[in-house]
Structures are given as structure tokens and as C-alpha cells.
Amino acid sequence: MIVAIGSTNGAKVNAVKTVAERFGFSVVAQPVSSGVSKQPRSDIETIQGARNRARNVLALAKSDIGIGLEGGITEIDGRWYICNWGVLIDKNGFECISSGGHFQLPSAFFIHLKNGKELREIVHMYQDEPIHQTGGAISLLTNGNVTRQKMYEQLLLVLFGQYQVRHRFGE
């Protein structure tokens, strides 16, 4: 079975490879549009970006499964949080959705976010290396205890688990 990931981002691709290969699936990576802003600013927009990536890569790669992963930020009660969402869609139209961890951003980030800066720009103010080459904002803000790849791996385990049991619940 072939799983296509709608991105060539290293953290996303490596997470899909790590998890999909545990299930015996082959992986291909293809860049596709998320159809949302570069910095999704709500859970809803982040889910939509993941869904668009899954649909777009499924059609483009003609794979058995399309995976869309999207990271964003969301405001809850006046505080900003990192959010991560994933969508799995198979060639028969089955879809499942899962969230990665949500955690609060430092208040020092809030003013920059309200002024329209993207999270990657803010993180770059605190580290010299490009965040797509490191553990990203997630690693920086968890003191290296969690990386972007590890967060996506957890999310993907839920998605593939849902995919495996879909028939048990009448899906």
C-alpha cells in the first residue's frame, strides 16, 4: 500500500516514513498546496490546510492513502497556542482527523503575533538556525523534549490506528 504525504518538509516526511513503515506501507512525498495562509491562525484553518493537503496529494500521487499535516497557532481565551492537525484520506473516501498537542506560546510572542508575524519569524529571533532544519518552535518551546517530528509521529499513530479499526465501527 502506498501512502503519499502532501509535503516535502523533513519533519513531516520523516514522521510519516517512521510511522507508515511500521504498518508495512511505502511512502512517497509530494509538495501540494494547503490552500490556507502560510500561518494558519485557528484550529479550523489548520484542519482545513491538512485536509486540503491530504486530498491534493491523494489525487496527484494516485496513492492508496493521502496524508496532510499542518501546523498552526490558535487563540483561546486571549492566549495563543501551537496546534498541529493531521488528516488521512484513502482512495475510497474514508477520512479521519487527529490533533497533535496544543501548548501555550510565551506571552512575549503575543505582541508579534498580533502584529501579523508568523511563528517561524518569531522563533528565528530566539535561535539562529532555520527552524525547518531543527525541531522548530515545538523543540524550542519544550526545551528539546519534544520535536516537531515526534509530535507528528504521535498524531500519525492515531490516524493509522483509526484507519485500521474503521470497519469495526461501521465506517
Side-chain angles (χ1 to χ4, degrees), residues 105-156:
L105 292 166
S107 58
F109 285 30
F110 294 3
I111 189 72
H112 301 294
L113 292 170
K114 288 187 186 254
N115 288 333
K117 285 201 180 285
E118 291 181 29
L119 185 57
R120 68 174 175 78
E121 296 172 298
I122 300 166
V123 169
H124 187 66
M125 295 166 43
Y126 295 91
Q127 66 182 28
D128 294 330
E129 303 162 19
I131 64 169
H132 65 279
Q133 299 296 332
T134 64
I138 294 166
S139 182
L140 174 70
L141 298 172
T142 63
N143 200 34
N145 288 302
V146 179
T147 64
R148 191 172 187 214
Q149 179 177 331
K150 289 294 183 189
M151 186 167 293
Y152 280 129
E153 286 176 15
Q154 178 82 25
L155 184 161
L156 287 159

Side-chain angles (χ1 to χ4, degrees), residues 45-156:
E45 184 180 14
T46 308
I47 292 167
Q48 189 60 53
R51 180 179 283 123
N52 291 344
R53 286 182 188 277
R55 287 181 180 159
N56 292 341
V57 78
L58 184 66
L60 185 66
K62 299 191 181 352
S63 58
D64 299 296
I65 294 173
I67 298 285
L69 299 174
E70 194 73 22
I73 56 175
T74 191
E75 187 176 11
I76 303 170
D77 292 332
R79 297 176 187 232
W80 286 95
Y81 295 80
I82 280 184
C83 65
N84 296 276
W85 287 89
V87 175
L88 178 154
I89 302 176
D90 77 7
K91 63 185 178 185
N92 298 315
F94 173 78
E95 177 182 296
C96 54
I97 301 170
S98 179
S99 172
H102 281 60
F103 62 90
Q104 188 176 336
L105 292 166
S107 58
F109 285 30
F110 294 3
I111 189 72
H112 301 294
L113 292 170
K114 288 187 186 254
N115 288 333
K117 285 201 180 285
E118 291 181 29
L119 185 57
R120 68 174 175 78
E121 296 172 298
I122 300 166
V123 169
H124 187 66
M125 295 166 43
Y126 295 91
Q127 66 182 28
D128 294 330
E129 303 162 19
I131 64 169
H132 65 279
Q133 299 296 332
T134 64
I138 294 166
S139 182
L140 174 70
L141 298 172
T142 63
N143 200 34
N145 288 302
V146 179
T147 64
R148 191 172 187 214
Q149 179 177 331
K150 289 294 183 189
M151 186 167 293
Y152 280 129
E153 286 176 15
Q154 178 82 25
L155 184 161
L156 287 159

Side-chain angles (χ1 to χ4, degrees), residues 18-59:
T18 298
V19 174
E21 289 173 358
R22 287 174 60 180
F23 290 86
F25 302 149
S26 299
V27 177
V28 296
Q30 180 75 42
V32 295
S33 172
S34 69
V36 298
S37 60
K38 282 179 155 179
Q39 176 70 82
R41 289 182 172 256
S42 70
D43 281 322
I44 292 169
E45 184 180 14
T46 308
I47 292 167
Q48 189 60 53
R51 180 179 283 123
N52 291 344
R53 286 182 188 277
R55 287 181 180 159
N56 292 341
V57 78
L58 184 66

